[in-house]
């Protein structure tokens, strides 16, 4: 697992147990335009203009352009894109920290744009907690009090909030540091405090805006593992912004790739890497080690009748890298088996051709 970039089971997120498959967030045709008379831009002919021209003609910036997506319960939904592509604006629109210009927006089927002040406060405090890049910790307060802060705002009693905060401090691996001030912690430790604070209010969904961008690579890796572990243990829904492709591939069940305010592709890491929607995406993922993201589901071919029950069995989510090893060990093809059923087989030739991109539209220089 440590050597693979993609999560073990990419693809469609788990549906909630026994319930309806209602999305947590449902976003349709969302626009956020900054500038004078911004509300005239969505749907107008100018809206189609490139960013610089739109700005020259109208003085407006379309930070989010006609964006639609659902965030499913229990998934890590990554919003990826270069700096300035609209990621922060989009995620701030979800709780109306930034007021969208047009479009519709629901959380658990409830219209966010129709919420009054009290309901919005409740949304931000209880339902969708934000973890920022700049930790936003209170410098004069201890770690424990920082973690308890969100509960204090909610009016939770002192004993209860301290107990809850201590539990969250332990959960993010900061036991023993409860009485320190943020200034006495490393960047990674401060980010853990930020994470513990968001978790303490037990939100339905965690929103992360590039929380690890300022951290050193190794610490950053630790924090990513922390997020993966939290997600695995609790199945909490997360919306995670990053400009870093490897972080997106490591964390995301699905990734929305943004460019100039719009989503250019929305898919699993395997879909984005294996079937880029256009040249922009293809260029973006060019250096990704494909064998670590693509799985045997994409590489397999139909089994012949005598291949149906011989050879090693691989789960459909097995990475091509692992499958190459399995095939090399035995020399023959390996079966792709799901719930006892043989879906197909992979051999050396078909594994290597997906790595080389031969399943796609172009032959990548291998
Ligand atoms: N308050 C604002 N007023 C005007 N333009 C803004 C404002 N906030 C963001 N923008 C512009 O919107 C675009 C998207 O910004 P942002 O959402 O911060 O991108 P990202 O988070 O992907 O770096 C950028 O062109 C940025 O300059
Ligand atoms: Mg940003």
């Amino acid at each position: 697992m440590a050597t693979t970039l993609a999560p073990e089971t990419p693809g469609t997120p788990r549906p909630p147990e026994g319930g309806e498959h209602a999305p947590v967030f449902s976003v349709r045709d969302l626009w956020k335009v900054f500038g004078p008379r911004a509300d005239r831009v969505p749907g107008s002919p100018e809206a189609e203009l490139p960013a610089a021209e739109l700005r020259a003609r109208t003085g407006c910036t379309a930070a989010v352009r006609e964006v639609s997506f659902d965030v499913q319960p229990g998934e890590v939904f990554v919003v990826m894109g270069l700096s300035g592509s609209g990621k922060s604006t989009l995620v701030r629109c979800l709780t109306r920290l930034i007021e969208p210009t047009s479009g519709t927006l629901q959380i658990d089927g409830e219209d966010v744009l129709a919420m009054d002040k009290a309901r919005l406060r409740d949304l931000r405090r209880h339902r969708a907690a934000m973890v920022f890049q700049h930790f936003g910790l209170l410098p004069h307060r201890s770690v424990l009090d920082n973690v308890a802060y969100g509960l204090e705002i909610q009016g939770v009693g002192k004993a209860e909030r301290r107990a809850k905060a201590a539990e969250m401090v332990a959960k993010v691996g900061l036991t023993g540091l409860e009485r320190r001030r943020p200034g006495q912690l490393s960047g990674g430790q401060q980010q853990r405090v930020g994470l513990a604070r968001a978790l303490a209010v037990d939100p339905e969904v965690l929103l992360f805006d590039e929380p690890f961008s300022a951290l050193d690579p190794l610490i950053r890796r630790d924090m990513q593992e922390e997020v993966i572990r939290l997600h695995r243990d609790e199945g909490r829904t997360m919306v995670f912004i990053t400009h870093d492709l490897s972080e997106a591939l490591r964390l995301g069940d699905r990734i929305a790739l943004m460019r100039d305010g719009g989503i250019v592709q929305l898919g699993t890491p395997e879909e984005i890497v294996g079937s880029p929607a256009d040249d922009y995406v293809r260029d973006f993922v060019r250096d990704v080690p494909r064998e670590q993201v693509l799985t045997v589901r994409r590489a397999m071919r139909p089994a012949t009748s005598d291949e149906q029950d011989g050879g090693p069995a691989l789960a459909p989510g097995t990475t091509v890298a692992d499958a190459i090893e399995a095939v090399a060990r035995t020399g023959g093809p390996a079966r792709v088996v799901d719930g006892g059923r043989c879906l197909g087989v992979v051999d050396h030739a078909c594994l290597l051709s997906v790595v080389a991109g031969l399943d796609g539209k172009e032959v990548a220089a291998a």
Side-chain angles (χ1 to χ4, degrees):
M1 226 6 241
T3 58
T4 55
L5 284 173
E8 210 154 17
T9 47
T12 34
R14 256 174 304 133
E17 247 126 87
E20 293 255 74
H21 201 154
V24 176
F25 280 112
S26 190
V27 177
R28 292 294 175 273
D29 303 323
L30 198 77
W31 287 79
K32 176 59 194 183
V33 180
F34 292 107
R37 290 186 287 187
D39 54 318
R40 293 204 183 172
V41 172
S44 73
E46 280 83 19
E48 309 299 322
L49 295 173
E53 217 170 313
L54 175 67
R55 193 154 44 240
R57 286 224 210 149
T58 65
C60 288
T61 302
V64 173
R65 284 175 188 258
E66 209 174 11
V67 160
S68 299
F69 60 88
D70 287 335
V71 176
Q72 301 296 346
E75 82 171 324
V76 180
F77 186 91
V78 168
V79 179
M80 180 179 63
L82 300 178
S83 176
S85 58
K87 308 180 296 295
S88 293
T89 306
L90 174 59
V91 170
R92 280 170 171 71
C93 282
L94 295 179
T95 57
R96 284 174 60 194
L97 290 172
I98 291 177
E99 204 62 60
T101 306
S102 68
T104 65
L105 172 57
Q106 298 182 329
I107 182 167
D108 299 322
E110 183 180 351
D111 184 355
V112 176
L113 301 181
M115 288 182 179
D116 62 14
K117 276 203 171 119
R119 197 77 189 131
L120 269 181
R121 207 176 308 126
D122 177 68
L123 168 69
R124 295 173 192 153
R125 285 184 187 170
H126 298 265
R127 298 167 78 180
M130 191 112 182
V131 182
F132 296 97
Q133 175 178 2
H134 304 291
F135 324 114
L137 302 179
L138 302 165
H140 55 283
R141 290 196 173 205
S142 69
V143 164
L144 195 69
D145 286 342
N146 264 287
V147 173
Y149 183 65
L151 298 168
E152 190 178 330
I153 292 180
Q154 289 185 3
V156 176
K158 188 161 184 177
E160 189 186 334
R161 67 180 190 247
R162 298 206 123 209
K164 185 80 185 168
E167 188 190 323
M168 294 307 135
V169 165
K171 186 176 270 189
V172 300
L174 291 178
T175 303
L177 302 181
E178 292 86 347
R179 303 175 71 128
R180 291 221 191 153
R181 302 285 158 98
Q184 301 168 305
L185 300 176
S186 71
Q189 289 168 335
Q190 290 185 49
Q191 192 53 271
R192 284 174 194 266
V193 177
L195 186 55
R197 185 178 53 189
L199 284 169
V201 300
D202 195 22
E204 178 181 4
V205 47
L206 278 173
L207 309 176
F208 297 87
D209 190 353
E210 307 219 30
F212 309 147
S213 296
L215 304 179
D216 292 335
L218 285 180
I219 296 167
R220 180 173 186 155
R221 193 58 185 251
D222 274 357
M223 290 304 296
Q224 290 167 354
E225 291 301 325
E226 194 72 38
V227 166
I228 290 170
R229 193 178 59 78
L230 277 173
H231 181 248
R232 197 172 40 218
D233 293 354
E234 305 187 348
R236 202 181 295 270
T237 309
M238 302 183 184
V239 176
F240 194 103
I241 295 183
T242 181
H243 65 266
D244 182 273
L245 176 61
S246 63
E247 183 163 85
L249 294 172
R250 197 173 294 132
L251 298 180
D253 290 311
R254 290 188 305 151
I255 299 169
L257 178 52
M258 289 188 79
R259 180 191 193 188
D260 291 338
I263 293 180
V264 283
Q265 188 169 3
L266 200 173
T268 63
E270 181 164 22
E271 284 161 357
I272 298 230
V273 170
S275 311
D278 62 14
D279 287 343
Y280 181 77
V281 182
R282 192 168 297 121
D283 216 44
F284 215 98
V285 300
R286 194 187 354 239
D287 297 326
V288 171
R290 294 166 60 86
E291 69 281 4
Q292 292 180 21
V293 178
L294 303 183
T295 66
V296 293
R297 198 181 278 124
R298 176 175 286 266
M300 69 189 177
R301 60 168 172 78
T304 61
S305 54
D306 52 332
E307 286 171 338
Q308 292 277 359
D309 27 45
L314 304 173
T318 307
T319 63
V320 167
D322 289 344
I324 287 174
E325 265 182 47
V327 166
R329 265 198 304 276
T330 61
R335 288 170 304 135
V336 180
V337 177
D338 191 19
R341 215 161 59 84
C342 178
L343 305 178
V345 295
V346 287
D347 56 22
H348 222 84
C350 63
L351 288 169
L352 291 183
S353 71
V354 290
V355 174
L358 295 173
D359 62 323
K361 289 189 186 67
E362 75 170 23
V363 180

